[in-house]
Amino acid sequence: MARNKIALIGSGMIGGTLAHMIGLKELGDVVMFDISEGMPQGKSLDIAQSSPVDGFDAKYHGANDYSAIEGADVCIVTAGVPRKPGMSRDDLLGINLKVMEQVGAGIKKYAPNAFVICITNPLDAMVWALQKFSGLPKTHVVGMAGVLDSARFRYFLAEEFKVSVEDVTAFVLGGHGDTMVPLTRYSTVAGIPLPDLVNMGWTSQEKLDQIVQRTRDGGAEIVGLLKTGSAYYAPASSAIQMAEAYLKDKKRVLPAAAHLSGQYGVKDMYVGVPTVIGAGGIERIIEIDLNKAEQAMFDKSVSSVQGLCEACIGIAPNL
Ligand code: TXD
């Protein structure tokens, strides 16, 4: 059986990290696409030359032409520009929307059967536009943000509790951005919900609120430190987990920006919700009960995503 083919559309910081991780995990052959000439070819060759040392077999190919992605099983999209300090994710909207139009056309022509994971910001609006520009099934176009946001939350919680990150599960809903909704009631240490841990004296409500806020600001904290771009290691790991769930039909329960057609009272929008990812793409959207406070936070998040989608329609009326 031939190896899976994974196309990386955008070969910058996240794209390069993805390419390396795909090799180390032997997930398939890699095509690195970018508009920058020589860069995807150079990174491909560099990573391929690490394969004898690390002991993996994978073909690497760098390209500036969409025909190279032909027949890809998975496309991971990071094409666009990242944030600089002081920029919000939403400032990127106009530039990255035009990029999504080109990427959508390329995928539609050369990889219409792929599972597409969009990472480009502002995430929820870009994945929504990419699905429309590409015309691929809504089950097969998904946005990565929830795995990363939950990972940040889990990491901070594990540090606070001095327990393994493996024993902390966390739940983050809503749009990727300052309005994301970390659900403390559904986040646990080995099954014990966070509110119970507060009652048990493991932490205080105040400390928990600070961790929630740090999670919301998780991207900006790294942008502020790096100064020249945004996070890329954890975003790449998060997208790999989603790609692996699809390629290996793992049916993982992962938070993802998924197309909603009535779930949570939302129609024709992409918002972060718990999903099941397997060989069918987004196989299921899990609708959990939200209490009043959670519903209010979720609604606020949804309306900010809606504002971005409307701004997209203002720029590209064909959407
Ligand atoms: O959780 C999340 N979803 C995110 C999203 C977490 C972190 C970063 N997030 C966003 O990912 C970030 O705001 C950016 O929009 C993307 C990609 O971030 P990365 O750090 O990889 O950006 P780079 O290094 O600038 O890489 C982008 C590449 C770069 O090589 C450009 O030449 C290329 O995109 N690019 C294009 N490729 C193809 N086609 C077009 N039109 C194009 N324009 C730029």
Side-chain angles (χ1 to χ4, degrees), residues 37-278:
E37 285 180 18
M39 188 267 274
Q41 292 83 353
K43 287 194 181 183
S44 286
L45 188 57
D46 187 12
I47 297 171
Q49 289 169 353
S50 77
S51 65
V53 182
D54 285 312
F56 62 83
D57 288 296
K59 282 204 191 85
Y60 278 84
H61 177 67
N64 304 110
D65 188 311
Y66 273 103
S67 60
I69 74 164
E70 183 152 24
D73 300 290
V74 169
C75 296
I76 307 182
V77 179
T78 57
V81 292
R83 277 197 287 171
K84 301 268 163 19
M87 272 173 102
S88 77
R89 291 182 178 89
D90 307 351
D91 292 335
L92 302 175
L93 185 119
I95 310 170
N96 287 350
L97 183 63
K98 293 211 170 63
V99 175
M100 288 308 107
E101 192 164 7
Q102 296 165 12
V103 173
I107 293 177
K108 182 180 194 165
K109 185 161 180 201
Y110 292 107
N113 298 318
F115 181 58
V116 179
I117 302 169
C118 180
I119 303 185
T120 303
N121 268 328
L123 193 265
D124 307 271
M126 291 302 105
V127 63
W128 173 82
L130 183 62
Q131 190 280 323
K132 292 200 186 292
F133 286 136
S134 67
L136 263 61
K138 296 178 174 101
T139 49
H140 280 63
V141 181
V142 60
M144 187 293 292
V147 175
L148 173 64
D149 294 333
S150 308
R152 286 177 172 153
F153 195 29
R154 288 171 64 194
Y155 171 70
F156 296 144
L157 290 169
E159 263 200 322
E160 167 67 5
F161 296 137
K162 298 187 177 51
V163 297
S164 165
V165 288
E166 288 187 72
D167 294 320
V168 182
T169 61
F171 223 93
V172 175
L173 282 188
H176 181 51
D178 312 329
T179 59
M180 71 178 81
V181 185
L183 287 185
T184 52
R185 175 164 89 88
Y186 286 109
S187 304
T188 75
V189 172
I192 310 166
L194 294 184
D196 292 9
L197 291 164
V198 173
N199 291 336
M200 287 156 63
W202 277 42
T203 188
S204 62
Q205 187 59 46
E206 195 190 358
K207 192 75 222 272
L208 191 55
D209 292 344
Q210 280 169 11
I211 290 175
V212 165
Q213 195 53 44
R214 191 172 177 201
T215 304
R216 286 207 177 101
D217 298 336
E221 184 176 355
I222 290 180
V223 170
L225 290 166
L226 294 180
K227 296 185 185 72
T228 52
S230 49
Y232 51 96
Y233 292 112
S237 297
S238 304
I240 292 285
Q241 189 169 59
M242 295 168 73
E244 202 169 7
Y246 171 76
L247 289 169
K248 297 186 178 170
D249 191 23
K250 285 179 74 82
K251 306 198 188 298
R252 294 273 337 246
V253 177
L254 297 173
H259 184 270
L260 301 183
S261 51
Q263 298 92 337
Y264 292 95
V266 178
K267 283 219 176 82
D268 191 29
M269 265 170 67
Y270 274 79
V271 186
V273 290
T275 66
V276 176
I277 301 181

